[in-house]
Each structure stands twice: as structure tokens, then as C-alpha cells.
Amino acid sequence: WRRVFDALKCEPRFVLCLRDPRAALVEMQITEDLSAPAAELAWIGHHLDAVLRTGGRLHVFRWESWHRDRRSYLARLESLLGADDEVQVVEQPPAPGLDEHEHPAVDVARKDGELSVVTRELYRALTGFAAGAVSSDELLAYATDLRDQAAELPVPPDSLAFLHGRLTSARRGLARS
């Protein structure tokens, strides 16, 4: 994609919607049928990938804040995108297995101590970045260091099945295009 953006002389803008990992992990366990360790490993992978592949050049929107103040977040998104027209919001229905009243705020039963150090530190760095307390360079340095720590985490068997399912789905999507 970078070559495409370069050829078009476009500067890509990357947006990461950051959710409290405790709530995200609970929802991933329900919707993806993952164990807690596999959900956590997937969360770490998605977020490290977002930071490292963008070189830390991303905009972080807090998931919980989005649900409390959509109008202000839409204004920020329009400004970020340089949108001439109003940004349209498409509502996503609640994920299967989640009651619509539970969806925006899945009960967060896990305690911080039950999360790995990698998850806690990555979330801390990302929230600091979203608040302007951590620079892009610092975020990239944190992510690089945490990537090495994450490589040492045990890989649960259902992580491999989850990854295989995602790759198979992506392969089918490419075959259709």
C-alpha cells in the first residue's frame, strides 16, 4: 500500500480505535470463541501491528469515549480526513452472543493483574499517545521493545486455529476478487 500512496502522492492517515483490553478480551472470547490467553495474544498482535506498520504515525481514538461523545469524535475524524462532506456513521449491530445493552460496555471482570505486562504496557503507551503525553517516536520505541517481549509469550493452541481461520477467510476473499 505504501507504493500506491507514494505513486498517488497521498499521505495516508491511520486511525486506531483503542478499547480497554479487559473489555475487548471478554468480547473476543465471546465473539471469536477464544480462550483468554488467545484473545490477549490477538489483542497484542493487532495493536503492535498497527503501531509498527504505520511507524507510529497514527491517530488513536478511544473506543469508550466514542460511545460517550460521538459528535466530538466525528468532528475530529472529519478534521483528520480533511473531509469536505460530513462523515457518515454506519452503526454495526451487536456481535452475536452479546445483548445490545451489553455491547458498548461489556462487563469487565478481569483485573489489571490478570493481563500480561505486555498488554498493560502497550495499553498505557497507547492511552498516553492518545492523550498527547507520548510522542510518535516514543510509541514506536515502546512497541518495538514490547514486540520482543510478546515474542516470549506462550502461544495457546486456539490462537493457531484462530489465525488459520483468519488466513483462510482472507484467502477466500482474494480468490473472489
Side-chain angles (χ1 to χ4, degrees), residues 2-121:
R2 291 183 199 275
R3 289 186 299 207
V4 171
F5 289 130
D6 289 345
L8 294 172
K9 296 182 179 19
C10 292
E11 180 64 33
R13 295 186 178 124
F14 303 99
V15 175
L16 173 66
C17 187
L18 177 65
R19 186 174 187 189
D20 182 317
R22 296 165 301 169
L25 299 181
V26 169
E27 186 165 343
M28 289 173 73
Q29 289 173 62
I30 293 168
T31 60
E32 304 290 345
D33 195 29
L34 292 173
S35 65
E40 186 169 5
L41 200 57
W43 188 92
I44 292 168
H46 293 317
H47 289 79
L48 281 176
D49 195 45
V51 173
L52 296 171
R53 287 183 181 263
T54 64
R57 293 186 343 247
L58 65 143
H59 302 271
V60 176
F61 281 49
R62 298 293 304 274
W63 191 93
E64 295 82 4
S65 299
W66 164 261
H67 284 282
R68 280 193 302 270
D69 187 11
R70 289 185 185 192
R71 200 173 295 275
S72 118
Y73 267 75
L74 279 176
R76 280 185 58 205
L77 189 56
E78 286 174 352
S79 172
L80 169 70
L81 298 175
D84 294 330
D85 298 321
E86 189 175 313
V87 173
Q88 298 295 313
V89 176
V90 177
E91 289 291 333
Q92 181 178 354
L98 291 176
D99 179 279
E100 66 182 69
H101 302 293
E102 295 173 324
H103 185 64
V106 173
D107 181 35
V108 179
R110 293 177 65 136
K111 305 280 187 265
D112 280 339
E114 295 175 0
L115 297 174
S116 72
V117 171
V118 174
T119 300
R120 289 193 312 267
E121 289 299 310

